[in-house]
Amino acid sequence: MIRARELTKKYGDKTAVDGLDFAVKPGLVTGFLGPNGAGKSTTMRMILGLDRPTSGAVTVNGVPHEDSVAPLREVGALLEAHAVHPGRSARNHLRWLAATNAIPDARVDEILAQVGLTEVADKRAGKFSLGMRQRLGIASALIGDPPVVILDEPVNGLDSEGIRWVRHLCRQLADEGRTVFVSSHLMTEMALMADHLLVIGQGRILADDPMTEFMAGHAPSYVRIRTRDRVQARAALTGVAAELTEGDDELRVSGLGAEAVGDLLFDAGVRVHELTAVQSSLEEAFMALTAESVEYRADTARPTSDLVAQGALR
Ligand SMILES: Nc1ncnc2c1ncn2[C@@H]1O[C@H](COP(=O)(O)OP(=O)(O)OP(=O)(O)O)[C@@H](O)[C@H]1O
């Protein structure tokens, strides 16, 4: 369990993390999301005792991480810029970590096999591809068999097979009862991986919900209709549907299921060319939720999805 209370970090005038209160629970994969500059890395660094809070506190299993006696056996972490000596082999790097954390040497070969690096274990880490470095970083995080695992952008640089592997690994770690706290900018991956979401923007919590509740609350579903008889279709649905929105060549109906919409249109004699139940994606929900707190945005970038622009997400 990771517990933050009024966790705050200021850099001069800049408040990077602004009074965060949250609990990351064991047995779940908790996704940590936020736009660039939201304060995710700063929060993770404070959890790991690498940065001191300006005020407030964060504990891992009840103890501030810097007070931990054998830190790698308490929390395993992969940070974006993890340091491995380029001249050292993967095996020697892990052996050094094991030796300095009272972890048996036998664990090194075990963890190398688990992350798929056995064959390159004696290669210098400086020669590793980004994907191999990520795997070594994950091996370093897991070598102490920790109950709490923190992974900052773990799928960065991994190919499709590697991404699937990280997803399954996170699921397995959570199923073993560990606390798994993961950040990623890849929303499709997060949607598949996380049971719970903690979303921050400008250092503050925007959402702290189970994935299913988050999607129900922020990623609305609607029924898409394509028909040439738009006027008739609107007439049939007005007053029954919660909301009717006109798209370029479609009508979007919220507040009614596809069956009900189909029946109403059939009863009204409307010829329908498409009727689809649509669930907005996690990415659309995230963009809508964080639109106000995006720190850096290209002038030409549309801040939110077409859905938002067309008024279907509010
Ligand atoms: N050492 C520092 N000195 C000054 N400002 C900092 C420092 N570290 C972070 N910040 C600022 O604090 C804010 C939060 O940064 P942080 O790196 O935690 O965000 P993030 O959510 O991890 O972003 P990203 O997704 O881009 O990695 C940003 O505005 C950043 O510029």
Side-chain angles (χ1 to χ4, degrees):
M1 165 93 90
I2 303 168
R3 185 84 176 87
R5 289 191 176 82
E6 292 293 316
L7 186 64
T8 300
K9 179 72 187 180
K10 294 186 179 176
Y11 295 108
D13 289 346
K14 170 91 195 171
T15 305
V17 172
D18 195 359
L20 294 186
D21 264 300
F22 63 81
V24 184
K25 300 195 184 87
L28 298 175
V29 177
T30 299
F32 193 27
L33 302 181
N36 288 138
K40 301 180 298 294
S41 302
T42 306
T43 303
M44 285 179 156
R45 290 176 60 79
M46 287 193 285
I47 296 170
L48 294 166
L50 299 172
D51 245 341
R52 269 189 185 284
T54 308
S55 59
V58 62
T59 54
V60 176
N61 290 335
V63 194
H65 189 58
E66 67 264 27
D67 294 348
S68 185
V69 184
L72 280 185
R73 290 196 283 152
E74 300 291 335
V75 190
L78 169 77
L79 293 188
E80 239 176 323
H82 56 271
V84 178
H85 191 289
R88 210 174 247 171
S89 70
R91 176 175 278 117
N92 280 342
H93 173 69
L94 294 170
R95 290 187 73 180
W96 169 74
L97 283 182
T100 48
N101 282 270
I103 296 163
D105 203 46
R107 177 80 181 136
V108 171
D109 281 339
E110 207 175 282
I111 201 73
L112 280 166
Q114 194 183 346
V115 303
L117 287 180
T118 305
E119 279 180 27
V120 291
D122 296 313
K123 248 183 141 177
R124 292 192 317 162
K127 301 266 179 219
F128 275 17
S129 67
L130 182 55
M132 284 154 80
R133 280 208 297 276
Q134 282 296 86
R135 285 175 186 260
L136 179 55
I138 292 172
S140 311
L142 299 182
I143 194 167
D145 201 15
V148 176
V149 180
I150 296 177
L151 305 174
D152 193 7
E153 301 286 345
V155 298
N156 221 358
L158 293 181
D159 58 15
S160 309
E161 196 278 323
I163 292 175
R164 271 170 65 101
W165 170 71
V166 169
R167 189 194 314 152
H168 290 305
L169 177 70
C170 286
R171 170 63 34 226
Q172 184 192 334
L173 293 170
D175 287 349
E176 288 166 2
R178 296 175 214 258
T179 302
V180 184
F181 195 40
V182 188
S183 81
S184 177
H185 284 107
L186 289 185
M187 292 295 149
T188 40
E189 206 34 53
M190 197 54 103
L192 291 171
M193 191 155 61
D195 307 299
H196 193 98
L197 287 180
L198 183 63
V199 186
I200 64 171
Q202 293 179 339
R204 298 204 180 142
I205 292 184
L206 299 177
D208 183 0
D209 296 311
M211 178 69 86
T212 44
E213 275 177 34
F214 182 85
M215 293 301 282
H218 300 283
S221 55
Y222 62 92
V223 178
R224 174 165 57 222
I225 305 160
R226 289 201 307 111
T227 174
R228 291 211 184 98
D229 305 332
R230 283 226 206 171
V231 176
Q232 263 181 286
R234 286 193 74 96
L237 297 166
T238 299
V240 195
E243 192 175 9
L244 273 176
T245 320
E246 295 264 358
D248 282 347
D249 65 343
E250 65 187 35
L251 266 180
R252 293 177 179 191
V253 185
S254 54
L256 281 179
E259 270 185 35
V261 171
D263 287 350
L264 285 163
L265 295 177
F266 180 81
D267 291 347
V270 176
R271 188 188 294 264
V272 171
H273 292 163
E274 183 189 337
L275 188 112
T276 312
V278 180
Q279 170 73 58
S280 315
S281 67
L282 175 60
E283 180 158 35
E284 287 161 337
F286 172 76
M287 300 275 274
L289 180 67
T290 58
E292 297 298 307
S293 54
V294 171
E295 194 172 41
Y296 311 103
R297 178 186 293 152
D299 284 346
T300 50
R302 297 179 72 172
T304 48
S305 68
D306 287 348
L307 271 181
V308 178
Q310 289 167 19
L313 283 177
R314 294 224 171 96

